[in-house]
């Protein structure tokens, strides 16, 4: 037996296997995941595992290594999040998200830091040795909402898109703030005296860390898109580039102390549309599925490790400090959301309701990022207290808030996500309105989001697509792509149902019928609007309508259609012969 | 700048990136890969890289770590090979493959070892200090044909399936022999005296290492299949199990000093059909594409590393030893193939032609396995000579033989692979003949391969499928699965060409036409044979024939069809109205 030789890969594989099997186990009992979020179950499995290891070895089980977390477990999740980010709601609510992520997080850090410092001044609690700087450092790591935890819970409760993107976007973008504040306070802790210059440098760093991350991400993203222009002959390694470049963007950002999370998200969002157009359909399926699979495994491992790491002797228990930490986390977040939303609502027509505000405040879950950051703290005599407080906050938010948020969403009747994807008609209208609003903004001289979006789109189609897309002379509009996707899906469904080839009779007949259908439409709508729509519909969409029996207000589908069909056919054929 | 922190993943990612970009680079110039095999180009890139590193650092570039090779680079390639192994030709030629792999490799090991020992006795060559055991040890690592190198070259030259499987199967299965002989001679080298007991133990080990590998692989494979029974609710992690279990089988086999290659191949071949039936279509696409991608990257990295590791000061040059190694490798392989094939041909009707024999002998490429094994040798004063000889043999076989084998195949007019997949009709006939031959073997009392195949199939459908498949009560026959796949592919093609829904007119009409077509068939074929075929065809296949214009000996497709069609339609409609 030669275990040493294979130890590293063997143990990694076994951990992943355990995580996957745990996941399968939960889903075998359908009732369980509908009540308890998976993240809670996984932490619970981790706690049991940790208890077993602790019991057998009589020493603390190994703690999740911060390096492993930041270098290997976090990137897949963030990449998945960035790649599948619904870009429209994200950019529409960008201002609000940034406000929550930057101002809200700073508010929380200082709120929690100062009020915990206040608690430390109470003599009865025996905490006078915890300085203000240490409290602020602790505040900076405990304040940030965790994307992994938020995603795990919010994916299951299906709130409306705007609410989801507000909480999730905040949790992603606050990384830049967390990185800056955490490193700032950490270096302050080690400095003998703090000059005001350092504080100003810290403020400047926000921009460097955030915008630097965006820049690194976008440059890697565009390079990835450019690389996939040349993979036509070796389809098999196409998916690799998506992963390689985004991972490189993360590592490069981390190397320069920029925000890796922001970088990988920019990279994923930047490359997505070009890569999708360049690579083959199967490569894209592989990318999508593998990304989902990988992030799912990372997620599972993180929660299990969280559980395992909780067990052991790393904790120093101090009731008042820990309880007040939990309370302050809740209170300051709630206050922050209330105040910020007040300002946001003053400038928006589509306001954030008080129900939504409650869910935003309540959805501020903490997770593995806090946990890794607290273990990365330099050694000082109260580190174990901080670890204990962080663990309690994480467990409290994931278990109590995570398990009650679904019933609360039901109870408050928070607006849910639309289950179905937008129809082709809706898509056309959204497009149309976008152009209209861009025009209105242009005329009125207001440089709003539609104006910029239009400019960006112009820049994209004029320059970027020519460089980054393989077949840049025929850029397909998104509606044609959507149509192709629908057609393909439909074809597969037909084939699987065994009904391929049972379509309506003959293309020439179809065209006749389309003309009559369009004449009817023209009677009811103004001809100017129809011109553009007709072209799109005639070129791309008539076949979708043809594949099933055409909709008719007076007949049930498939009822009187066939005979009507046959008669029409007979008449037409008579004429032609 | 904090490079240390991200060094390991950053450098790994950069190496993979380099390898992928090199691959893209070659394929940009279409002429290059058609003349020079990719493996040669990659080694060349590696040589240049190694030269640059050597020039800049003024010391030998890092050598490919044997652990990294055996634990991380080799398994993906072997998994890919096993998973996509054409099982029918493999099992049909199992006896021949085993003969080449076991007897052939032993023949080569002892042939090369003893004749090199003979060379060492020549005083002029100054090699008298190389003992017989060391020569045999060297023989054991240089004799084995390398699957990675064989695959890289044979995938490009498209020889017929039997020839391909003979060379490739041998290169995979000789791993067990190589492992045993290499470890045996290595331990003999360190022993003070060799007893005859040790020799017999060595012979016994063949069976343990080979059959143990098969056992480990099959048990992991069946566990994997069993696990995928329960993944219906979490499709997203399905592909993971294929990779995890096969990797575990490899590691477990390595841990117990069994043949990891044999284990992973058994695992992949054992699980494939059950896993495919259990997991979703998209998961399967992901598995297939990811496997191909991964093995392609591993392959690329191996050849680049081979090139890089060649540069440096690890070599001791001795003209006679190195030249005679190359000559003996060629001569003993040629002799071995000739002798073994003579015996094989005596017991087979479908013999191996002399052209095929030449290609088998000539296709005995050496690669990264030899290279890793020679670096794993214990330190002794002639190790550098062995490294030099191994490097030369690898470069000679990959460059000279790899580059000339394609012109030779053309020159000799070796039978090529059939480009198209077997038609449905062919598949039905193969099936039918299998049953027939199994019956004949049963009656004649000869327990041949068809008899065992039939028994295995019975055992599979009676027991294994019930345990391993999710929907075991409705096992789909392979022909129905094939049909579904064809239909799906066809549907996608139709959708992409924009012709969905342009099928022939009406199902009721179709049925009439099918009946007439089948009557014609019945006139020409005996009715007994038709019974079974008709059922299958009528249930599954008529729609395929319907989607295009029906084949007619007297008209070109699509020529007179439409009007004929319309007339027929008119007549039928007249009647029905």
């Amino acid at each position: 037996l030669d275990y040493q030789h294979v130890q590293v890969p063997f143990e990694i594989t076994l951990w992943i296997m355990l995580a996957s099997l745990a996941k399968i186990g939960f889903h075998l009992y359908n009732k369980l995941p509908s009540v308890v979020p998976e993240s809670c179950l996984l932490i619970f499995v981790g706690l049991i595992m940790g208890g077993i290891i602790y019991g057998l070895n009589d020493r603390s089980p190994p703690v999740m290594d911060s390096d492993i977390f930041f270098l290997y477990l976090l990137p897949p999740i963030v990449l998945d999040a960035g790649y599948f980010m619904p870009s429209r709601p994200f950019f529409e609510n960008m201002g609000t998200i940034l406000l929550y992520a930057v101002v809200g997080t700073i508010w929380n850090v200082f709120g929690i830091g100062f009020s915990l410092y206040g608690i430390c001044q109470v003599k009865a609690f025996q905490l006078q040795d915890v300085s203000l700087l240490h409290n602020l450092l602790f505040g900076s790591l405990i304040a940030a909402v965790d994307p992994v935890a938020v995603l795990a819970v919010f994916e299951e409760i299906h709130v409306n898109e705007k609410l989801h993107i507000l909480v999730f976007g905040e949790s992603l973008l606050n990384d830049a703030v967390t990185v800056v504040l955490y490193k700032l306070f950490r270096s302050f802790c080690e400095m003998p005296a703090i000059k005001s210059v350092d504080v100003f440098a810290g403020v400047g760093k926000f921009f460097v860390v955030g915008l630097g991350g965006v820049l690194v991400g976008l440059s890697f993203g565009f390079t990835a898109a450019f690389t996939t222009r040349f993979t036509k002959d070796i389809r098999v390694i196409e998916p690799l580039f998506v992963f390689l470049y985004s991972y490189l963007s993360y590592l490069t950002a981390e190397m320069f102390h920029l925000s890796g999370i922001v970088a990988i998200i920019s990279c994923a969002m930047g490359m997505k549309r070009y890569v999708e157009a360049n690579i083959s359909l199967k490569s894209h399926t592989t990318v999508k599925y593998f990304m989902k699979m990988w992030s799912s495994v990372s997620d599972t491992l993180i929660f299990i490790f969280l559980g395992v790491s909780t067990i052991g002797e790393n904790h120093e228990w101090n009731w008042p400090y820990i309880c007040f930490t939990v309370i302050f986390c809740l209170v300051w977040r709630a206050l922050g959301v209330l105040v910020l939303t007040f300002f946001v609502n003053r400038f928006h027509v589509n306001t954030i309701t008080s129900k939504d505000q409650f869910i935003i405040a309540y959805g501020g879950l903490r997770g593995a990022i806090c946990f890794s950051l607290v273990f990365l703290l330099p050694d000082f005599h109260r580190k174990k207290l901080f670890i204990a407080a962080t663990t309690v906050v994480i467990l409290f938010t994931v278990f109590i808030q995570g398990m009650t948020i679904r019933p609360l969403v039901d109870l408050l009747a928070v607006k849910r996500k639309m289950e179905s994807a937008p129809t082709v008609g809706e898509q056309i209208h959204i497009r149309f309105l976008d152009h209209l609003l861009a025009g209105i903004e242009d005329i009125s001289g207001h440089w709003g989001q539609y104006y910029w979006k239009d400019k960006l789109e112009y820049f994209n189609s004029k320059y970027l697509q020519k460089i980054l897309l393989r077949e840049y002379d025929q850029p397909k509009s998104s509606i044609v792509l959507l149509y192709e996707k629908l057609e393909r899906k439909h074809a597969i469904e037909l084939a699987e149902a065994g009904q391929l080839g049972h379509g309506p009779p003959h293309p020439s007949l179809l065209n006749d019928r389309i003309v009559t259908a369009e004449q009817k439409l023209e009677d009811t709508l103004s001809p100017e609007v129809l011109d553009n729509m007709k072209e799109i519909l005639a070129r791309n969409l008539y076949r979708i309508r043809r594949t099933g029996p055409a909709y008719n207000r007076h007949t049930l589908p498939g009822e009187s259609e066939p005979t009507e069909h046959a008669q029409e056919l007979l008449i037409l054929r008579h004429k032609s012969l």
Side-chain angles (χ1 to χ4, degrees), chain A residues 131-384:
Chain A
S131 69
L132 176 62
L133 259 181
H134 276 123
N135 271 317
L136 284 173
L137 180 56
F138 180 64
S140 75
L141 68 87
I142 204 76
V145 174
D146 187 81
V148 182
V150 165
L151 206 60
V153 166
F154 273 70
E155 267 190 347
E156 293 181 7
I157 59 175
H158 305 293
V159 292
N160 64 72
E161 217 170 21
K162 185 178 173 187
L163 184 51
H164 183 264
I165 205 71
L166 283 182
V167 182
F168 182 52
E170 179 202 336
S171 71
L172 285 173
L173 296 190
N174 65 21
D175 179 59
V177 180
T178 309
V179 167
V180 171
L181 285 182
Y182 178 79
K183 287 189 177 156
L184 199 71
F185 289 131
R186 233 183 95 162
S187 57
F188 282 179
C189 281
E190 283 156 7
M191 271 185 210
I194 302 156
K195 292 172 198 162
S196 56
V197 178
D198 297 323
V199 178
F200 282 110
V203 176
K205 263 194 175 172
F206 277 125
F207 296 97
V208 175
V209 168
L211 294 180
V214 172
L215 218 70
V216 168
L218 283 184
S219 49
F220 274 99
F222 288 137
T223 318
F226 187 70
T227 310
T228 53
R229 267 189 74 165
F230 304 103
T231 53
K232 203 178 176 186
D233 296 318
I234 22 167
R235 293 289 191 193
V236 83
I237 57 169
E238 278 177 349
L240 201 65
F241 289 107
V242 174
F243 298 109
L244 284 181
Y245 278 108
S246 41
Y247 192 45
L248 273 185
S249 78
Y250 181 85
L251 292 177
T252 310
E254 288 283 306
M255 197 157 74
F256 292 107
H257 297 288
L258 306 173
S259 166
I261 293 184
V262 171
I264 204 168
I265 285 177
S266 322
C267 178
M269 293 181 82
M271 77 171 131
K272 192 187 180 191
R273 77 193 275 180
Y274 306 108
V275 167
E276 266 184 29
N278 279 338
I279 69 179
S280 79
L281 193 70
K282 289 207 171 166
S283 296
H284 194 227
T285 306
T286 308
V287 168
K288 282 196 296 186
Y289 268 64
F290 198 75
M291 216 177 254
K292 283 271 170 235
M293 185 181 93
W294 206 351
S295 77
S296 162
V297 169
S298 276
D299 184 89
T300 313
L301 282 177
I302 287 173
F303 285 114
I304 287 188
F305 280 146
L306 256 186
V308 172
S309 310
T310 304
I311 304 288
E313 285 149 5
N314 298 314
H315 306 288
E316 180 197 336
W317 202 261
N318 179 305
W319 274 105
Y321 196 84
I322 289 170
C323 291
F324 276 108
T325 306
V326 174
I327 293 168
F328 288 143
C329 279
L330 290 173
V331 171
W332 284 103
R333 179 159 178 88
L335 280 177
V337 169
L338 276 179
V339 172
L340 292 176
T341 316
F342 174 74
F343 287 107
V344 167
N345 279 348
R346 285 194 61 175
F347 295 100
H348 282 82
V349 183
N350 186 3
T351 57
I352 301 167
T353 64
S354 48
K355 280 177 195 172
D356 285 358
Q357 288 174 42
F358 176 75
I359 296 296
I360 293 172
Y362 202 74
L365 307 181
R366 268 70 164 184
I369 291 186
C370 310
F371 196 81
S372 300
L373 286 178
V374 81
F375 272 97
L376 277 180
L377 282 182
D379 273 326
F380 74 108
H381 65 288
R382 287 293 196 171
K383 188 175 169 182
K384 285 191 172 180

Side-chain angles (χ1 to χ4, degrees), chain A residues 424-457:
Chain A
V424 179
E426 279 172 328
Q427 294 232 354
I428 297 174
H429 281 94
I430 290 170
R431 267 278 175 108
F432 173 71
L433 281 173
D434 281 359
H435 284 296
L436 196 71
L437 283 168
I440 291 172
E441 281 187 353
D442 207 6
I443 291 166
S444 65
H446 171 72
W447 289 359
Q449 55 170 328
Y450 292 101
Y451 175 83
W452 285 113
K453 202 182 161 189
D454 211 52
K455 282 276 167 289
L456 207 67
E457 204 55 56

Side-chain angles (χ1 to χ4, degrees), chain A residues 86-130:
Chain A
S87 58
R88 198 185 165 85
F90 180 72
F91 285 113
E92 272 176 0
N93 298 298
M94 192 59 151
T96 317
I97 291 171
L98 276 177
L99 196 71
Y100 284 141
V102 178
V103 183
T105 307
I106 295 175
W107 164 287
N108 275 312
V109 169
F110 285 97
I112 295 170
F114 279 111
S115 45
L116 278 178
Y117 182 62
I119 295 298
C120 291
Q121 301 315 309
V122 180
K123 276 190 180 169
F125 296 158
Q126 296 175 321
L127 289 161
Q128 279 125 314
D129 55 331
V130 187

